[in-house]
Amino acid sequence: MTTASTPPSSRAVPDLSGKTAIVTGASRGIGLATAQALADAGANVVLTSRKQEAADAAAAQIAGNAIGVGAHAVEEDQARRCIDRTLETYGSVDILINNAGTNPAFGPLIDQDHGRFAKTFDVNLWAPLMWTALATEAWMGEHGGSVVNTASIGGLGHEAGIGMYNASKAALIYVTKQLALELSPKVRVNAVAPGVVRTKLAEALWKDHEERVAASTALDRIGEPDDVAAAIVFLASDAAGWVTGETMVIDGGQRLGDATAYRTGAGVGV
Ligand SMILES: NC(=O)c1ccc[n+]([C@@H]2O[C@H](COP(=O)([O-])OP(=O)(O)OC[C@H]3O[C@@H](n4cnc5c(N)ncnc54)[C@H](OP(=O)(O)O)[C@@H]3O)[C@@H](O)[C@H]2O)c1
């Protein structure tokens, strides 16, 4: 079958030569793919993970200029150290990708407790806000910059079992718009909203039923980290120079609804 959707290999990329990007949560998955895509576009890249060794190991995989910095996304002193180290090493912080995310809170909202709420919202909402504030104070406020937050299509709708996570992503989409206004015109702030992507975080959503998820997706496959990375690089770059406050859905058409019936014709009415 010919398809309009092949996994990315050699897509044209914007030119980010001379720019420096921090990617939080870059030890694997979407963050690691984004770091490589930014490096492919010519940027210097700083990859973070909770563990220095994991950050170093990820940076060592990047073809291009890259360093790893151990920094828990929620710890302000660690975030400051990461930004300082970035400025010392590369001289600027032009791009910030707030990608670190977590989902410790499965089940109905009314079954959650404050601990799971706090962890979810600290990592998924407070950290992007704090890192944006620090990057703005340290560099972007004066020199300009571009921030991209990794939200989720879950933040645009409702799903059983992951309401807490989705609430944090809905709030991140709101914060993206608010910051786009508050930091204008110097700093652009956008978000991506991925659907189901082949990563560890989302394993429960695809691992044992990938075929079914793919079949119900208009573009007939689940997402790859590179699919999201390509969109993040676009939003981070001058190619999106007149885009701010936006959330770009990258989901192979999953938000359109179940595509299975359209392929079989079962959904055809009289
Ligand atoms: N995969 C999907 O289907 C999907 C869909 C929509 C949105 N997203 C979002 O995409 C982003 C990336 O997730 P992923 O799917 O690529 O998952 P992943 O492969 O599990 O990667 C998660 C990354 O976040 C880092 N991380 C987690 N907690 C952290 C913290 N407190 N401080 C610093 N880093 C932290 C992890 O690093 P260490 O463990 O090394 O610290 C890892 O590098 C998340 O924001 C997620 O919500 C994913």
Side-chain angles (χ1 to χ4, degrees), residues 24-32 48-51 54-55 71-75 98-103 119 122-124 127 131 149-154 165 168-169 172 192-203 205-206 223 225 228 250 254:
T24 70
S27 62
R28 58 177 184 267
I30 292 168
L32 181 59
T48 84
S49 153
R50 282 167 289 189
K51 293 210 167 66
H72 192 295
V74 178
E75 298 295 330
N98 286 308
N99 173 75
T102 191
N103 184 16
K119 182 169 183 197
D122 272 358
V123 176
N124 294 357
W131 282 73
N149 298 320
T150 308
S152 167
I153 57 170
Y165 171 85
S168 73
K169 295 298 189 179
L172 182 58
V192 290
V196 178
V197 179
R198 191 189 310 281
T199 71
K200 186 171 173 207
L201 181 89
E203 263 178 7
L205 302 178
W206 60 268
V228 184
I250 312 292
Q254 284 167 350

Side-chain angles (χ1 to χ4, degrees), residues 47-69:
L47 297 86
T48 84
S49 153
R50 282 167 289 189
K51 293 210 167 66
Q52 182 64 51
E53 310 79 66
D56 286 340
Q61 292 177 54
I62 299 296
N65 294 332
I67 58 168
V69 176

Side-chain angles (χ1 to χ4, degrees), residues 1 24 43 69 220 251:
M1 184 176 83
T24 70
V69 176
D220 205 24
D251 72 343

Side-chain angles (χ1 to χ4, degrees), residues 101-104 109 116-126 128 150-152 154-155 162-175:
T102 191
N103 184 16
L109 280 180
R116 279 180 277 176
F117 169 84
K119 182 169 183 197
T120 306
F121 274 74
D122 272 358
V123 176
N124 294 357
L125 186 64
W126 173 245
T150 308
S152 167
I162 51 174
M164 185 74 87
Y165 171 85
N166 285 349
S168 73
K169 295 298 189 179
L172 182 58
I173 290 167
Y174 177 90
V175 160

